[in-house]
Amino acid sequence: MATGTPVTVPAHTTHLQRWLRMNPEQRPAIYAQIYQGADFSSPAYWLEIVFSAGIAALGLVLNSPAVIIGAMLISPLMSPIMATGLALAAGDLYLAIKAIANLIASIGLAVALSAIIVWLLPFHSVTAEVLARINPNLLDLGIALFSGLAGSVAVCRAGTGGGITTLPGVAIAVALMPPLCTMGFGVGSGFNRQIIGGAGLLFLTNLVAIVASAFAVFLLVGMNSPELNAEMVSSRESEVLARRLAHSPFARAVANGGQLRWRILTLVILLAFIAVPLRTAFMQLAGEAVVRAAVQDVVKNLLPPGALVSQQIEIGRGDVAIRLIATQPLAPAKIDQAEKEIERRSGQHASISVSTVASQSELAELTARLSQPPPSPPKPVEQTIPEIDQALIPRVTPVIQSVWPADPPLQSYSLQFGTEGIVLNVVYQAARPLDPVALDLITRECRRQLAAPDLTLNATRVPPPRRATTRR
């Protein structure tokens, strides 16, 4: 393929080429370089697709941004995308067919490989890196547009000294492979439509924006000059696909490439098509930002500084739920007033629930109290046996005197402590022993009045003295 043939530079592109410090003589080389990026026959390209898809899929599962960035750097998807933009700018339908076919095959391989990897894993937890790629909005479209412009300008300035796949900054910014592998994650984890649809919309946004940016840059720098197109067409006459298309009903369309206004209209329609759902997501994001700001301001005034432990905000369709954990309770009237203020500022119905926990000072005080050793029990007063006996006898005396009958008279009594309980020893004087029934009644009454259910009465009889016999 010839790359050094002089090409006429249109007058309206000269100033831009000078401003970009682009050598007009390098346009054939740039065209050839981009054209090679759409080639199917490069094993290195497909190996890079396999490697980057595998790394990105595992990075999404591991929730590792560093691994995902590595997959972005390896991914060669910028090559066929840039080729598509150049094909639209130059009206090269043959290049467009090759680039789009390459893109379709690359997308299918990346999604299928990542889906198989995720399906083989024993767990399918949705990570933060996966969630970050299923809700695109207009901001993502802006990132993709600027990334496409940066990549296209870098390619135009690089000439033969670089390549599309050697643009690490652009590759990281636009992130083409992670959305495809996120789609594969949705397929491999049970055909999750929300994940597949959100990630697919993000990839489509990046794809259309980069193609549109590349189209604009390549058109402005004069990559659509007739001399350049004629040279490229003559250089590919030996390709099998080109010969077949030349003898097909589409030969005239391939040769003409279509009018420029129709190509521009196609890109505008595609951008408008993806802008509708992106705008909806962007407005939802903006609405959530307003709600969160209102909640933050109201909660800040609802509790004193340091009293808020944590807060959770769940925003739904038309309502917002706020769960607060605080160290101070809130009056129902104050909560109701805060809910009305949030509803007034955000336009959504608000409900606030407050759970009260101990403050740090209370926890510290409780911890210090629990860490102190328990107080020692008071030491018992040591008494001798005579002292104990002297303390108990005054209590026993009125009881025994009240329950003992007048006849026989009571001589003495004492207390005895043993392993079987308390023994009340009684000595009485009588000619005959007391009746057992009487002794049992005395024992019961002593137990009741002394509150000693284990008391035992031991009665000992002493016979009366004999009278002296008178002798005459």
Side-chain angles (χ1 to χ4, degrees):
M1 180 181 295
T3 59
T5 304
V7 178
T8 303
V9 181
H12 67 277
T13 63
T14 304
H15 181 71
L16 181 60
Q17 291 174 356
R18 291 177 180 175
W19 184 64
L20 295 177
R21 296 182 181 179
M22 174 185 172
N23 186 3
E25 301 298 330
Q26 295 295 331
R27 288 188 301 167
I30 296 172
Y31 204 119
Q33 176 189 346
I34 299 175
Y35 181 85
Q36 292 174 359
D39 192 8
F40 279 88
S41 61
S42 174
Y45 174 86
W46 299 109
L47 283 177
E48 289 175 355
I49 289 290
V50 171
F51 295 155
S52 59
I55 295 172
L58 295 177
L60 291 171
V61 173
L62 293 175
N63 197 35
S64 174
V67 175
I68 297 173
I69 290 174
M72 298 176 193
L73 294 174
I74 299 173
S75 172
L77 285 173
M78 282 291 288
S79 298
I81 295 178
M82 285 289 181
T84 304
L86 176 60
L88 290 175
D92 192 342
L93 186 57
Y94 177 75
L95 177 58
I97 293 174
K98 290 189 64 175
I100 293 174
N102 192 329
L103 268 176
I104 294 174
S106 301
I107 293 171
L109 178 60
V111 173
L113 180 61
S114 56
I116 292 173
I117 292 175
V118 173
W119 179 72
L120 291 175
L121 294 175
F123 53 88
H124 302 135
S125 301
V126 179
T127 62
E129 291 295 329
V130 173
L131 294 176
R133 290 169 174 84
I134 62 174
N135 294 307
N137 53 61
L138 288 177
L139 298 179
D140 296 289
L141 179 61
I143 293 173
L145 286 172
F146 282 111
S147 300
L149 291 172
S152 304
V153 171
V155 170
C156 292
R157 295 183 61 184
T160 57
I164 304 173
T165 58
T166 60
L167 300 173
V170 177
I172 294 174
V174 76
L176 291 167
M177 186 58 71
L180 289 180
C181 294
T182 303
M183 293 177 62
F185 182 94
V187 175
S189 60
F191 208 81
N192 189 314
R193 294 183 178 179
Q194 183 178 3
I195 294 178
I196 297 172
L201 179 60
L202 177 58
F203 177 79
L204 184 62
T205 300
N206 294 338
L207 174 63
V208 175
I210 296 174
V211 170
S213 301
F215 168 83
V217 172
F218 293 144
L219 188 65
L220 291 175
V221 298
M223 298 296 288
N224 62 331
S225 63
E227 297 87 350
L228 183 60
N229 292 347
E231 181 181 350
M232 294 299 108
V233 171
S234 62
S235 64
R236 65 175 72 123
E237 292 179 352
S238 60
E239 296 185 16
V240 177
L241 180 60
R243 292 199 302 267
R244 290 184 177 179
L245 288 175
H247 296 86
S248 67
F250 304 100
R252 185 176 180 180
V254 172
N256 296 332
Q259 296 182 1
L260 178 60
R261 63 174 179 271
W262 296 114
R263 300 198 298 270
I264 295 176
L265 181 61
T266 301
L267 287 177
V268 171
I269 292 175
L270 288 175
L271 287 172
F273 176 76
I274 63 172
V276 172
L278 294 179
R279 182 183 180 278
T280 302
F282 181 78
M283 297 304 297
Q284 181 179 357
L285 181 64
E288 291 182 1
V290 172
V291 173
R292 292 183 185 277
V295 172
Q296 293 290 346
D297 292 342
V298 172
V299 171
K300 186 186 301 182
N301 299 325
L302 186 64
L303 291 166
L308 181 63
V309 178
S310 68
Q311 65 177 5
Q312 292 181 349
I313 304 174
E314 295 183 2
I315 302 175
R317 293 186 176 180
D319 60 353
V320 54
I322 304 102
R323 296 179 177 86
L324 304 178
I325 299 178
T327 59
Q328 295 183 5
L330 291 175
K334 200 171 184 181
I335 295 176
D336 184 65
Q337 183 180 0
E339 291 175 346
K340 292 180 179 178
E341 178 64 18
I342 294 175
E343 185 173 354
R344 183 187 67 81
R345 295 181 57 178
S346 64
Q348 296 193 16
H349 175 71
S351 61
I352 301 177
S353 61
V354 182
S355 300
T356 307
V357 297
S359 63
Q360 292 183 354
S361 59
E362 293 173 339
L363 290 175
E365 181 182 355
L366 179 60
T367 303
R369 189 183 305 169
L370 293 176
S371 61
Q372 295 178 354
S376 301
K379 295 182 178 180
V381 180
E382 297 182 357
Q383 293 179 323
T384 61
I385 294 178
E387 291 175 345
I388 296 174
D389 189 63
Q390 290 179 3
L392 293 177
I393 287 299
R395 182 181 177 187
V396 175
T397 297
V399 175
I400 192 66
Q401 288 179 354
S402 63
V403 299
W404 191 265
D407 187 26
L410 187 64
Q411 298 292 317
S412 63
Y413 55 89
S414 63
L415 291 174
Q416 179 182 351
F417 299 93
T419 57
E420 296 181 357
I422 303 174
V423 179
L424 178 60
N425 296 312
V426 178
V427 179
Y428 66 95
Q429 187 179 38
R432 293 188 301 274
L434 280 174
D435 186 80
V437 176
L439 290 175
D440 183 62
L441 292 175
I442 294 172
T443 302
R444 292 183 180 180
E445 189 64 21
C446 288
R447 289 175 178 174
R448 186 185 67 81
Q449 294 191 26
L450 295 174
D454 57 347
L455 183 140
T456 303
L457 182 63
N458 184 16
T460 303
R461 182 182 65 85
V462 177
R466 296 180 180 181
R467 295 181 179 179
T469 304
T470 305
R471 293 182 180 181
R472 295 181 179 181

